[in-house]
Each structure stands twice: as C-alpha cells, then as structure tokens.
Amino acid sequence: MDVEKRMEELKIVPVVVLQSAADAVPLADALTAAGLPLAEVTFRTEAAEESIRRIAGAFPEMLVGAGTVSSVEQAVKAVEAGAKFLVSAGFQTDITEFALKKGIPIFPGVCTPTELMMLLKYDLRVAKFFPAEQYGGLKTIRALSGPFPQMRFMPTGGIHAGNVKEYLADPRIIACGGSWMVKDSLIKAGNFDEIRRLTAEAVNLVKG
C-alpha cells in the first residue's frame, strides 16, 4: 500500500485516543462505514498497542497507524501490532532510523527550519506540522516552503470542520490530521453512530 498516496486520497487522518481496546473495532467500523478507512491511534494510553492489533485484524483493508510515538520501544510494539505507518509529535533520530530500516512510513512532527533539514537528511519529504494552528498554520507552512519547496505537510492541531478545506486547498498539504469526528467524549460514551455521522459529514466536506 502506498501510504502517502492513500492519505492524500482520503484527505483526513482521524487522530484517535482509545482508553479501552474494546472500543477499537466499533470505532474502525464507524470510520470505514462513513468512507474514511484510516486511523492514527495515538500511544497516549495503554490501550494503543492492542487497539491497533484489533483494528488491523478486523479491518485488514484499513490504513491504521500509530501516533504520538515517542520511543523505539513504542514503534516496535506498533509495527508488530500491525501499524502501517508511524507519526511522532517531534523528530527523533532513533525512531526515524528504525522506521526506515523496517520500511515503515514515518511522519515526524516539525515546526522549524532546523527540523525540516533533519528530515531531509533522511530523505523524508512529508512532515507532520504540529501543533499547526498554534504555530501559525498555513502562513508558516507557506513560509517554510520557500527554502524547502520539496517538502509537503500533514498539519495537525487545531484542525476542524471550519478550516480543513482551506488547508487542503494548498498543494503543499498532503492531508490533515484531526480529531473533531472522533472526540474522546464520543468514544467514551460509546456513541459510534455520532462518530459515523460526523465522519461522513467530514468526508463529504473535503470532497466538495
């Protein structure tokens, strides 16, 4: 699977926090049914590894990855569980080198020219721009693109239904990470019907 190409086709990367692995399959079902078979399951909870394993097993066609990866140990667990890509909040050499050695796409978080130069050292051409809105959003991305025209970005942080189309209209953007359709409160309440509705709404929004 060409992960970057698939992300660009789907346009939105749902950033998911799962407190219980029991919610993983119902969530994946809601996302898939709504037309968005993609999820970045963050390693912010103990349930992340098992959640990825369950989603990968139940929905082999779904593009599931691990987010907020902050150590090689987490990266190993994610890949062994079935993660097809890795995302980190910032750049870390050992995680990046592990991913490249394993042939797993990785999207390190950046917000400065120095970090972009570090990515280019590893021939990485797509970066997570995080936290996007707090660091100037599209204005900063466009400014960074001056000296780094070969780079493309996956902005995450402060992305919502009201600004996602503006981001996606820029050719420098491969996709946007967001959690407005997979809010923690909805997952904890088991309100997967609402997640399906919000996701379908988001899919229609970015296609329009």
Side-chain angles (χ1 to χ4, degrees):
M1 181 186 291
D2 188 326
V3 172
E4 290 181 15
K5 182 179 179 181
R6 189 62 175 142
M7 284 182 172
E8 191 162 15
E9 290 171 349
L10 293 172
K11 302 181 186 300
I12 300 174
V13 180
V15 180
V16 180
V17 179
L18 289 165
Q19 300 294 336
S20 171
D23 293 326
V25 170
L27 175 74
D29 183 58
L31 291 172
T32 302
L36 190 56
L38 170 59
E40 175 191 324
V41 179
T42 62
F43 263 75
R44 300 179 191 178
T45 71
E46 295 295 323
E49 179 184 0
E50 180 60 24
S51 296
I52 291 171
R53 182 173 289 109
R54 293 189 186 189
I55 291 172
F59 296 87
E61 76 287 357
M62 188 172 186
L63 181 55
V64 60
T68 322
V69 177
S70 58
S71 68
V72 172
E73 180 184 7
Q74 287 182 341
V76 170
K77 289 180 178 179
V79 172
E80 290 181 348
K84 296 182 175 74
F85 64 91
L86 303 174
V87 182
S88 54
F91 176 85
Q92 193 165 312
T93 301
D94 54 356
I95 298 174
T96 300
E97 292 180 350
F98 165 80
L100 293 174
K101 183 178 180 180
K102 289 293 184 179
I104 302 293
I106 182 166
F107 305 97
V110 304
C111 58
T112 68
T114 300
E115 291 163 322
L116 284 171
M117 290 179 73
M118 293 169 76
L119 263 63
L120 288 174
K121 178 181 176 182
Y122 290 94
D123 200 31
L124 296 176
R125 302 303 173 97
V126 179
K128 172 180 179 175
F129 183 67
F130 175 81
E133 283 290 282
Q134 291 83 349
Y135 274 98
L138 274 174
K139 287 183 178 180
T140 301
I141 288 173
R142 288 167 181 159
L144 288 170
S145 295
F148 303 103
Q150 67 274 63
M151 291 300 302
R152 300 187 72 197
F153 300 88
M154 181 170 66
T156 306
I159 310 296
H160 51 76
N163 62 12
V164 67
K165 288 192 72 172
E166 181 184 4
Y167 274 95
L168 291 171
D170 193 298
R172 302 169 186 85
I173 308 303
I174 185 173
C176 288
S179 58
W180 77 91
M181 78 295 293
V182 287
K183 294 177 182 176
D184 294 358
S185 58
L186 293 175
I187 295 173
K188 290 176 182 177
N191 196 348
F192 298 105
D193 286 339
E194 179 64 5
I195 290 173
R196 184 183 297 109
R197 186 191 71 79
L198 289 171
T199 303
E201 190 178 78
V203 169
N204 289 332
L205 175 67
V206 299
K207 283 183 178 179

Coordinates of all heavy atoms in Angstrom, one line a residue, residues 99-171:
A99 N 12.2 3.2 11.7 CA 11.1 3.1 10.7 C 11.7 2.9 9.3 O 11.2 2.0 8.5 CB 10.3 4.4 10.7
L100 N 12.8 3.6 9.0 CA 13.4 3.5 7.6 C 14.0 2.1 7.4 O 13.9 1.5 6.4 CB 14.5 4.5 7.5 CG 13.9 6.0 7.4 CD1 15.1 7.0 7.3 CD2 13.0 6.2 6.2
K101 N 14.6 1.5 8.5 CA 15.2 0.2 8.4 C 14.1 -0.8 8.2 O 14.3 -1.8 7.4 CB 15.9 -0.1 9.7 CG 16.6 -1.5 9.7 CD 17.4 -1.7 11.0 CE 18.1 -3.0 11.0 NZ 18.9 -3.3 12.2
K102 N 12.9 -0.6 8.8 CA 11.8 -1.6 8.6 C 11.0 -1.3 7.4 O 10.1 -2.1 7.1 CB 10.9 -1.5 9.9 CG 11.5 -2.0 11.1 CD 11.7 -3.6 11.1 CE 12.2 -4.1 12.4 NZ 12.4 -5.6 12.3
G103 N 11.2 -0.2 6.7 CA 10.4 0.1 5.5 C 9.0 0.6 5.9 O 8.1 0.5 5.1
I104 N 8.9 1.2 7.1 CA 7.6 1.7 7.5 C 7.5 3.2 7.3 O 8.4 3.9 7.8 CB 7.4 1.4 9.0 CG1 7.4 -0.1 9.3 CG2 6.0 2.0 9.5 CD1 6.3 -0.9 8.7
P105 N 6.6 3.8 6.7 CA 6.5 5.2 6.5 C 6.4 5.9 7.9 O 5.7 5.5 8.8 CB 5.2 5.4 5.7 CG 5.0 4.1 5.0 CD 5.5 3.1 5.9
I106 N 7.1 7.0 8.0 CA 7.1 7.7 9.3 C 6.9 9.2 8.9 O 7.5 9.7 8.0 CB 8.4 7.5 10.1 CG1 8.3 8.3 11.4 CG2 9.6 7.9 9.3 CD1 9.3 7.9 12.5
F107 N 6.1 9.9 9.8 CA 5.8 11.3 9.6 C 6.2 12.0 10.9 O 5.3 12.2 11.8 CB 4.4 11.5 9.2 CG 3.9 10.7 8.0 CD1 3.3 9.5 8.2 CD2 4.2 11.2 6.7 CE1 2.9 8.7 7.1 CE2 3.8 10.4 5.6 CZ 3.2 9.2 5.8
P108 N 7.4 12.5 11.0 CA 7.8 13.2 12.2 C 7.2 14.6 12.3 O 7.0 15.2 11.3 CB 9.4 13.3 12.1 CG 9.7 12.3 11.0 CD 8.6 12.3 10.1
G109 N 7.0 15.0 13.5 CA 6.4 16.4 13.7 C 7.5 17.4 13.6 O 8.6 17.2 14.1
V110 N 7.2 18.5 12.9 CA 8.2 19.6 12.8 C 7.4 20.9 13.0 O 6.2 21.0 12.8 CB 8.9 19.6 11.4 CG1 9.6 18.3 11.2 CG2 7.9 19.9 10.3
C111 N 8.2 22.0 13.3 CA 7.6 23.3 13.2 C 8.7 24.4 12.9 O 8.5 25.6 13.0 CB 6.8 23.7 14.5 SG 7.8 23.6 16.0
T112 N 10.0 23.9 12.7 CA 11.1 24.8 12.4 C 11.9 24.4 11.2 O 11.9 23.2 10.8 CB 12.0 24.9 13.6 OG1 12.7 23.6 13.8 CG2 11.3 25.2 14.9
P113 N 12.6 25.3 10.6 CA 13.5 25.0 9.5 C 14.6 24.0 9.9 O 14.9 23.1 9.1 CB 14.2 26.3 9.2 CG 13.2 27.4 9.6 CD 12.6 26.8 10.8
T114 N 15.1 24.0 11.1 CA 16.1 23.1 11.5 C 15.6 21.7 11.5 O 16.2 20.7 11.0 CB 16.6 23.4 13.0 OG1 17.1 24.7 13.0 CG2 17.6 22.4 13.5
E115 N 14.3 21.5 12.0 CA 13.8 20.1 12.0 C 13.5 19.6 10.5 O 13.7 18.4 10.2 CB 12.4 20.1 12.7 CG 12.6 20.3 14.2 CD 11.4 20.8 14.9 OE1 10.6 21.6 14.4 OE2 11.2 20.3 16.1
L116 N 13.1 20.5 9.7 CA 13.0 20.1 8.3 C 14.3 19.7 7.6 O 14.3 18.7 6.8 CB 12.4 21.3 7.4 CG 10.9 21.5 7.7 CD1 10.4 22.8 7.0 CD2 10.0 20.4 7.1
M117 N 15.4 20.4 8.0 CA 16.7 20.0 7.5 C 17.1 18.6 8.0 O 17.7 17.8 7.3 CB 17.7 21.0 7.9 CG 17.6 22.3 7.1 SD 18.8 23.6 7.6 CE 20.2 22.9 6.8
M118 N 16.6 18.3 9.2 CA 16.9 16.9 9.7 C 16.1 15.9 9.0 O 16.6 14.8 8.7 CB 16.6 16.9 11.2 CG 17.5 17.8 12.1 SD 16.9 18.1 13.8 CE 17.3 16.5 14.5
L119 N 14.9 16.2 8.6 CA 14.1 15.2 7.8 C 14.7 15.0 6.5 O 14.8 13.9 6.0 CB 12.7 15.7 7.7 CG 11.6 15.2 8.7 CD1 12.0 15.6 10.1 CD2 10.2 15.7 8.3
L120 N 15.2 16.1 5.8 CA 15.8 15.9 4.5 C 17.0 15.1 4.5 O 17.4 14.4 3.6 CB 16.1 17.3 3.9 CG 14.8 18.1 3.5 CD1 15.2 19.5 3.1 CD2 14.1 17.4 2.4
K121 N 17.7 15.1 5.7 CA 18.9 14.3 5.8 C 18.6 12.8 5.6 O 19.4 12.0 5.1 CB 19.5 14.5 7.2 CG 20.7 13.6 7.5 CD 21.3 13.9 8.9 CE 22.4 13.0 9.2 NZ 22.9 13.2 10.6
Y122 N 17.3 12.4 6.0 CA 16.9 11.1 5.9 C 16.0 10.9 4.6 O 15.3 9.9 4.5 CB 16.1 10.6 7.1 CG 17.0 10.5 8.3 CD1 17.2 11.5 9.2 CD2 17.7 9.3 8.5 CE1 18.0 11.4 10.3 CE2 18.5 9.1 9.6 CZ 18.7 10.2 10.5 OH 19.6 10.0 11.6
D123 N 16.0 11.9 3.8 CA 15.2 11.9 2.5 C 13.7 11.7 2.8 O 13.0 11.1 2.0 CB 15.7 10.7 1.6 CG 15.3 11.0 0.2 OD1 15.2 12.2 -0.2 OD2 15.1 10.0 -0.6
L124 N 13.2 12.3 3.9 CA 11.8 12.3 4.2 C 11.2 13.5 3.6 O 11.7 14.6 3.8 CB 11.6 12.2 5.7 CG 12.0 11.0 6.4 CD1 11.8 11.1 7.9 CD2 11.3 9.7 5.9
R125 N 10.1 13.4 2.8 CA 9.6 14.5 2.1 C 8.2 14.9 2.6 O 7.6 15.8 2.0 CB 9.5 14.2 0.6 CG 10.9 13.9 0.0 CD 11.9 15.0 0.3 NE 13.3 14.7 -0.2 CZ 13.8 15.0 -1.3 NH1 13.1 15.7 -2.2 NH2 15.1 14.7 -1.6
V126 N 7.7 14.2 3.6 CA 6.4 14.6 4.2 C 6.5 14.7 5.7 O 7.0 13.8 6.3 CB 5.3 13.6 3.8 CG1 3.9 14.0 4.5 CG2 5.1 13.5 2.3
A127 N 6.2 15.8 6.2 CA 6.3 16.1 7.7 C 4.9 16.4 8.3 O 4.1 17.0 7.7 CB 7.2 17.2 8.0
K128 N 4.8 15.9 9.5 CA 3.6 16.4 10.3 C 4.0 17.8 10.8 O 5.1 18.0 11.3 CB 3.4 15.4 11.5 CG 2.4 15.9 12.5 CD 2.2 14.9 13.6 CE 1.2 15.4 14.7 NZ 1.0 14.4 15.7
F129 N 3.1 18.7 10.6 CA 3.3 20.1 11.1 C 2.4 20.2 12.3 O 1.2 20.3 12.2 CB 2.9 21.1 10.0 CG 3.2 22.5 10.5 CD1 4.5 23.0 10.7 CD2 2.2 23.4 10.7 CE1 4.8 24.3 11.1 CE2 2.4 24.7 11.2 CZ 3.7 25.1 11.4
F130 N 3.1 20.3 13.5 CA 2.4 20.2 14.8 C 3.0 21.1 15.8 O 4.2 21.2 15.9 CB 2.4 18.8 15.2 CG 1.7 18.6 16.6 CD1 0.3 18.5 16.7 CD2 2.5 18.5 17.7 CE1 -0.2 18.4 18.0 CE2 2.0 18.4 19.0 CZ 0.6 18.3 19.1
P131 N 2.2 21.8 16.6 CA 0.7 22.0 16.5 C 0.4 23.1 15.5 O 0.9 24.2 15.6 CB 0.3 22.3 17.9 CG 1.5 23.0 18.5 CD 2.7 22.3 17.9
A132 N -0.3 22.7 14.5 CA -0.5 23.6 13.3 C -1.0 25.0 13.6 O -0.3 26.0 13.3 CB -1.4 22.9 12.3
E133 N -2.2 25.1 14.2 CA -2.7 26.4 14.4 C -1.9 27.2 15.4 O -1.7 28.4 15.2 CB -4.2 26.3 14.9 CG -5.2 25.9 13.8 CD -5.4 27.0 12.8 OE1 -6.2 28.0 13.2 OE2 -4.9 27.0 11.7
Q134 N -1.4 26.6 16.4 CA -0.6 27.3 17.4 C 0.7 27.9 16.8 O 1.3 28.8 17.3 CB -0.3 26.4 18.6 CG -1.6 26.1 19.4 CD -2.4 24.9 18.8 OE1 -2.2 24.5 17.7 NE2 -3.3 24.4 19.6
Y135 N 1.2 27.2 15.8 CA 2.5 27.7 15.2 C 2.3 28.4 13.8 O 3.2 28.4 13.0 CB 3.4 26.5 15.0 CG 4.2 26.2 16.2 CD1 3.8 25.2 17.1 CD2 5.4 26.9 16.5 CE1 4.6 24.9 18.3 CE2 6.1 26.7 17.7 CZ 5.7 25.7 18.5 OH 6.4 25.4 19.7
G136 N 1.1 29.0 13.7 CA 0.9 29.9 12.5 C 0.2 29.3 11.3 O 0.0 30.0 10.3
G137 N -0.2 28.0 11.4 CA -1.0 27.4 10.4 C -0.4 27.5 9.0 O 0.8 27.4 8.7
L138 N -1.2 27.8 8.0 CA -0.8 27.9 6.6 C 0.2 28.9 6.3 O 1.1 28.8 5.5 CB -2.1 28.1 5.7 CG -2.8 26.9 5.3 CD1 -4.1 27.3 4.6 CD2 -2.0 26.0 4.4
K139 N 0.2 30.0 7.1 CA 1.1 31.1 6.9 C 2.6 30.6 7.1 O 3.5 30.9 6.4 CB 0.8 32.3 7.8 CG -0.4 33.1 7.3 CD -0.5 34.3 8.2 CE -1.7 35.2 7.8 NZ -1.9 36.4 8.7
T140 N 2.7 29.8 8.2 CA 4.0 29.3 8.5 C 4.4 28.2 7.5 O 5.6 28.2 7.1 CB 4.0 28.7 9.9 OG1 3.7 29.8 10.8 CG2 5.4 28.2 10.3
I141 N 3.5 27.4 7.1 CA 3.8 26.3 6.2 C 4.3 26.9 4.8 O 5.2 26.5 4.2 CB 2.6 25.4 5.9 CG1 2.3 24.6 7.2 CG2 2.7 24.6 4.7 CD1 1.0 23.8 7.1
R142 N 3.6 28.0 4.4 CA 4.0 28.6 3.2 C 5.3 29.3 3.3 O 6.1 29.3 2.3 CB 2.9 29.7 2.8 CG 1.6 29.0 2.3 CD 0.5 30.0 2.2 NE -0.7 29.3 1.7 CZ -2.0 29.8 1.9 NH1 -2.2 30.9 2.6 NH2 -3.0 29.1 1.4
A143 N 5.6 29.9 4.4 CA 6.9 30.5 4.6 C 8.0 29.4 4.6 O 9.1 29.6 4.0 CB 6.9 31.2 6.0
L144 N 7.8 28.3 5.3 CA 8.8 27.2 5.3 C 9.0 26.6 3.9 O 10.1 26.1 3.6 CB 8.3 26.1 6.3 CG 8.3 26.4 7.8 CD1 7.6 25.3 8.6 CD2 9.8 26.6 8.2
S145 N 7.9 26.7 3.1 CA 8.0 26.1 1.8 C 9.0 26.9 0.9 O 9.4 26.3 -0.2 CB 6.7 26.0 1.1 OG 5.8 25.1 1.8
G146 N 9.3 28.1 1.2 CA 10.2 28.9 0.4 C 11.6 28.2 0.3 O 12.0 27.9 -0.8
P147 N 12.2 28.0 1.4 CA 13.6 27.3 1.4 C 13.5 25.8 1.2 O 14.5 25.2 1.0 CB 14.2 27.7 2.7 CG 13.1 28.0 3.6 CD 12.0 28.6 2.8
F148 N 12.3 25.3 1.4 CA 12.1 23.8 1.4 C 10.9 23.4 0.4 O 9.9 22.9 0.8 CB 11.8 23.2 2.8 CG 12.9 23.5 3.8 CD1 12.7 24.5 4.7 CD2 14.1 22.9 3.7 CE1 13.6 24.9 5.6 CE2 15.1 23.2 4.7 CZ 14.9 24.2 5.6
P149 N 11.1 23.8 -0.9 CA 10.0 23.5 -1.8 C 9.6 22.1 -2.0 O 8.6 21.7 -2.5 CB 10.5 24.2 -3.1 CG 12.0 24.1 -3.0 CD 12.2 24.3 -1.6
Q150 N 10.6 21.2 -1.7 CA 10.4 19.7 -1.9 C 9.5 19.1 -0.8 O 9.1 18.0 -0.9 CB 11.7 19.0 -2.0 CG 12.5 19.0 -0.7 CD 13.4 20.2 -0.6 OE1 12.9 21.3 -0.4 NE2 14.7 20.0 -0.5
M151 N 9.3 19.9 0.3 CA 8.5 19.3 1.4 C 7.0 19.5 1.3 O 6.5 20.5 0.8 CB 9.0 20.0 2.7 CG 10.4 19.6 3.2 SD 10.7 17.9 3.4 CE 9.5 17.5 4.7
R152 N 6.3 18.5 1.8 CA 4.9 18.6 1.9 C 4.5 18.3 3.4 O 5.3 17.7 4.1 CB 4.1 17.6 1.0 CG 4.5 17.9 -0.5 CD 3.6 17.0 -1.4 NE 2.3 17.5 -1.4 CZ 1.2 16.8 -1.9 NH1 1.4 15.6 -2.3 NH2 0.0 17.3 -1.9
F153 N 3.3 18.6 3.8 CA 3.0 18.6 5.2 C 1.6 18.0 5.5 O 0.7 18.0 4.7 CB 2.9 20.1 5.7 CG 4.2 20.8 5.5 CD1 4.5 21.5 4.3 CD2 5.2 20.8 6.5 CE1 5.7 22.2 4.2 CE2 6.4 21.5 6.4 CZ 6.6 22.2 5.2
M154 N 1.5 17.4 6.7 CA 0.3 16.9 7.3 C 0.0 17.7 8.5 O 0.4 17.3 9.6 CB 0.4 15.4 7.6 CG -0.9 14.8 8.1 SD -0.8 13.0 8.2 CE 0.5 12.8 9.4
P155 N -0.6 18.9 8.4 CA -0.9 19.7 9.6 C -1.8 19.0 10.6 O -2.8 18.4 10.1 CB -1.5 21.0 9.0 CG -2.0 20.6 7.7 CD -1.1 19.5 7.2
T156 N -1.5 19.1 11.8 CA -2.3 18.5 12.9 C -2.3 19.4 14.1 O -1.2 20.0 14.4 CB -1.8 17.1 13.3 OG1 -1.7 16.3 12.1 CG2 -2.7 16.5 14.3
G157 N -3.4 19.6 14.7 CA -3.5 20.5 15.9 C -4.3 21.7 15.6 O -3.8 22.6 14.9
G158 N -5.5 21.8 16.1 CA -6.4 22.9 15.8 C -7.1 22.8 14.5 O -7.8 23.8 14.0
I159 N -7.1 21.7 13.8 CA -7.8 21.5 12.5 C -9.2 21.0 12.8 O -9.4 20.2 13.7 CB -7.1 20.4 11.7 CG1 -5.6 20.7 11.5 CG2 -7.8 20.3 10.3 CD1 -5.3 22.0 10.8
H160 N -10.2 21.6 12.2 CA -11.6 21.3 12.4 C -12.4 21.5 11.1 O -11.8 21.9 10.1 CB -12.1 22.2 13.5 CG -11.9 23.6 13.4 ND1 -12.6 24.4 12.5 CD2 -11.0 24.5 14.0 CE1 -12.1 25.7 12.6 NE2 -11.1 25.7 13.5
A161 N -13.7 21.3 11.2 CA -14.5 21.4 10.0 C -14.5 22.8 9.4 O -14.7 22.9 8.2 CB -15.9 21.0 10.4
G162 N -14.2 23.8 10.2 CA -14.3 25.2 9.7 C -13.0 25.6 9.0 O -13.1 26.6 8.3
N163 N -11.9 24.9 9.1 CA -10.7 25.3 8.4 C -10.0 24.3 7.6 O -9.0 24.5 6.9 CB -9.7 25.9 9.4 CG -9.2 24.9 10.5 OD1 -9.4 23.7 10.4 ND2 -8.5 25.4 11.5
V164 N -10.5 23.0 7.6 CA -9.8 21.9 7.0 C -9.8 22.1 5.4 O -8.8 21.8 4.8 CB -10.5 20.6 7.3 CG1 -11.9 20.5 6.8 CG2 -9.6 19.4 6.8
K165 N -10.8 22.7 4.9 CA -10.8 22.9 3.4 C -9.8 23.9 3.0 O -9.2 23.8 1.9 CB -12.2 23.3 2.9 CG -13.2 22.2 3.0 CD -14.5 22.5 2.2 CE -14.3 22.5 0.7 NZ -15.6 22.7 0.0
E166 N -9.6 24.9 3.8 CA -8.6 25.9 3.5 C -7.2 25.3 3.4 O -6.4 25.6 2.5 CB -8.6 27.1 4.5 CG -7.6 28.2 4.2 CD -7.6 29.3 5.3 OE1 -8.3 29.1 6.3 OE2 -6.8 30.2 5.1
Y167 N -6.9 24.5 4.4 CA -5.6 23.8 4.4 C -5.5 22.9 3.2 O -4.5 22.9 2.5 CB -5.5 22.9 5.7 CG -5.0 23.6 6.9 CD1 -5.9 24.2 7.8 CD2 -3.6 23.8 7.1 CE1 -5.4 24.9 9.0 CE2 -3.1 24.4 8.3 CZ -4.0 25.0 9.2 OH -3.5 25.6 10.3
L168 N -6.5 22.1 2.9 CA -6.4 21.1 1.9 C -6.3 21.7 0.5 O -5.9 21.1 -0.5 CB -7.6 20.1 1.9 CG -7.6 19.2 3.1 CD1 -8.9 18.4 3.2 CD2 -6.4 18.2 3.0
A169 N -6.8 23.0 0.4 CA -6.7 23.7 -0.9 C -5.3 24.0 -1.3 O -5.0 24.3 -2.5 CB -7.5 25.0 -0.9
D170 N -4.3 24.0 -0.3 CA -3.0 24.3 -0.6 C -2.2 23.0 -1.1 O -2.3 22.0 -0.4 CB -2.3 24.8 0.7 CG -0.9 25.5 0.4 OD1 0.0 24.7 -0.1 OD2 -0.8 26.7 0.6
P171 N -1.5 23.1 -2.2 CA -0.9 21.9 -2.8 C 0.3 21.4 -1.9 O 0.7 20.2 -2.1 CB -0.3 22.4 -4.1 CG -0.2 23.9 -4.0 CD -1.4 24.3 -3.1

